[in-house]
Amino acid sequence: FIGPKVSVLKALGDKIMAKKVAVANNVPIIQSSDQDLSTMETALGEAEKIGYPVMLKAASGGGGRGMRVIRTEGELRKGFPEARRESLSAFGDNTVFLEKYVENPKHIEVQIVADSHGNMVHLYERDCSVQRRYQKVIEFAPSYGLSQVIKDKLYAYALAICKAVDYNNIGTVEFLVDEDDNIYFIEVNPRVQVEHTVTEMITNIDLIKAQLFIAGGFKLSDTQIKIYDQDTVQIAGVAVQCRITTEDPANDFKPDYGIVTTYRSAGGFGIRLDAGSIYQGVSISPFFDSMLVKVS
């Protein structure tokens, strides 16, 4: 199996469980619901306690599924059953929770690499603040507009959470940073992410190769991976990734499908393409994500 061990997935694969790990290790989190939101009445009570606006989230969610900003009781009454149905359909789990909504934050994630021998490093941060429908559209690394003090705190928090569960393989720890530089942990993605390519481009570390060798029992310091310690991980330059999606601008940018009549790839020195089966004449299915290509 290529990925973190079962105990890590149980501790961090669920957003509610991951928050408990963060609290136990003095990592700041956003105020969230304490009760199991199994009924509308409970959800309304928790929202009143936290204070509007709140964010309604799927506990097993990802990619923006099951997420809604709730600003009034009426919106919660409408959004609560919708989010539960969407979460059940997407993840097989209708568990949802509420947390205080942070206005206009930066969305920052820290890349972690860890072997199964107790060695762990971070590969700095990515800025994923440019989003639509809570799905990332443009990612870049490193982040600009954050002080080194805040960045160092983010690295320390990410490592603390991962060390607490004896993390192995690669993963990402995600945070929000508000306009006053307050940091809030939101989740851990215990897997490789779509936007990992920008980290690879600025660190010259192949994350896919690394996770394969880690799964095979190698240490970070082995010649197959060559991450000897934190000081050996250096940043060179800046990388930006844009997600090319099939969406209809005349229909509020809703995901679209059909036959691709014309397609030309980006190209040139320093351009990286991560593409699936996209070419002129291909039929785009309505049953999958609208992303076609990543251009870095």
Side-chain angles (χ1 to χ4, degrees):
F1 178 72
I2 300 169
K5 55 195 173 187
V6 172
S7 61
V8 170
L9 294 175
K10 286 183 175 179
L12 300 177
D14 179 291
K15 294 179 183 178
I16 296 174
M17 293 296 293
K19 283 192 172 187
K20 293 179 180 178
V21 175
V23 170
N25 289 274
N26 299 313
V27 176
I29 65 169
I30 303 171
Q31 182 185 3
S32 58
S33 51
D34 299 320
Q35 304 296 319
D36 180 9
L37 303 188
S38 56
T39 67
M40 177 70 75
E41 290 70 25
T42 305
L44 289 170
E46 290 294 288
E48 188 69 27
K49 183 174 67 176
I50 295 170
Y52 294 99
V54 294
M55 177 71 83
L56 182 61
K57 286 186 173 183
S60 300
R65 300 289 181 86
M67 291 177 61
R68 285 162 174 77
V69 177
I70 305 294
R71 297 185 181 277
T72 66
E73 178 181 321
E75 290 182 3
L76 182 55
R77 288 186 179 277
K78 179 178 182 295
F80 179 71
E82 291 177 349
R84 296 189 80 196
R85 286 195 298 270
E86 185 177 335
S87 178
L88 183 63
S89 175
F91 311 111
D93 178 9
N94 69 353
T95 305
V96 295
F97 67 100
L98 290 166
E99 64 182 21
K100 185 67 179 176
Y101 179 57
V102 181
E103 301 275 3
N104 300 317
K106 286 183 178 293
H107 188 151
I108 307 295
E109 51 192 30
V110 178
Q111 180 70 58
I112 296 293
V113 183
D115 61 27
S116 299
H117 305 276
N119 304 301
M120 184 183 301
V121 298
H122 68 77
L123 303 188
Y124 302 96
E125 80 284 351
R126 298 186 290 264
D127 193 316
C128 303
S129 303
V130 181
Q131 302 182 14
R132 180 162 67 237
R133 296 189 298 273
Y134 308 111
Q135 290 186 303
K136 300 159 188 173
V137 178
I138 296 174
E139 297 92 6
F140 56 92
S143 176
Y144 282 83
L146 285 181
S147 69
Q148 191 60 48
V149 171
I150 297 299
K151 290 184 179 184
D152 289 341
K153 286 184 178 180
L154 291 168
Y155 307 150
Y157 288 150
L159 290 170
I161 290 172
C162 290
K163 287 178 179 177
V165 297
D166 194 24
Y167 198 97
N168 68 311
N169 218 274
I170 68 173
T172 302
V173 187
E174 301 201 14
F175 301 91
L176 297 181
V177 181
D178 70 15
E179 295 171 333
D180 296 319
D181 281 347
N182 295 306
I183 296 171
Y184 305 99
F185 164 77
I186 52 175
E187 65 177 318
V188 177
N189 284 297
R191 54 178 170 78
V192 66
Q193 286 191 275
V194 169
E195 57 271 26
H196 75 277
T197 57
V198 293
T199 294
E200 290 185 331
M201 294 177 80
I202 66 167
T203 62
N204 200 32
I205 293 173
D206 187 327
L207 287 169
I208 305 305
K209 184 178 79 170
Q211 72 172 358
L212 289 167
F213 280 115
I214 290 169
F218 289 85
K219 297 179 180 179
L220 297 186
S221 57
D222 287 338
T223 55
Q224 289 82 356
I225 305 176
K226 294 183 179 178
I227 303 177
Y228 302 110
D229 55 38
Q230 188 65 66
D231 291 338
T232 63
V233 182
Q234 299 294 321
I235 292 177
V238 177
V240 180
Q241 180 193 96
C242 302
R243 302 190 191 190
I244 308 303
T245 59
T246 169
E247 297 180 346
D248 184 357
N251 188 25
D252 195 30
F253 289 92
K254 293 291 193 303
D256 202 2
Y257 58 94
I259 304 297
V260 175
T261 57
T262 304
Y263 177 75
R264 296 183 180 88
S265 286
F269 180 74
I271 300 298
R272 170 174 174 166
L273 295 175
D274 292 283
S277 298
I278 175 65
Y279 49 86
Q280 185 171 323
V282 71
S283 178
I284 303 299
S285 167
F287 304 114
F288 298 97
D289 192 276
S290 61
M291 183 174 66
L292 302 177
V293 188
K294 298 178 293 177
V295 181
S296 304

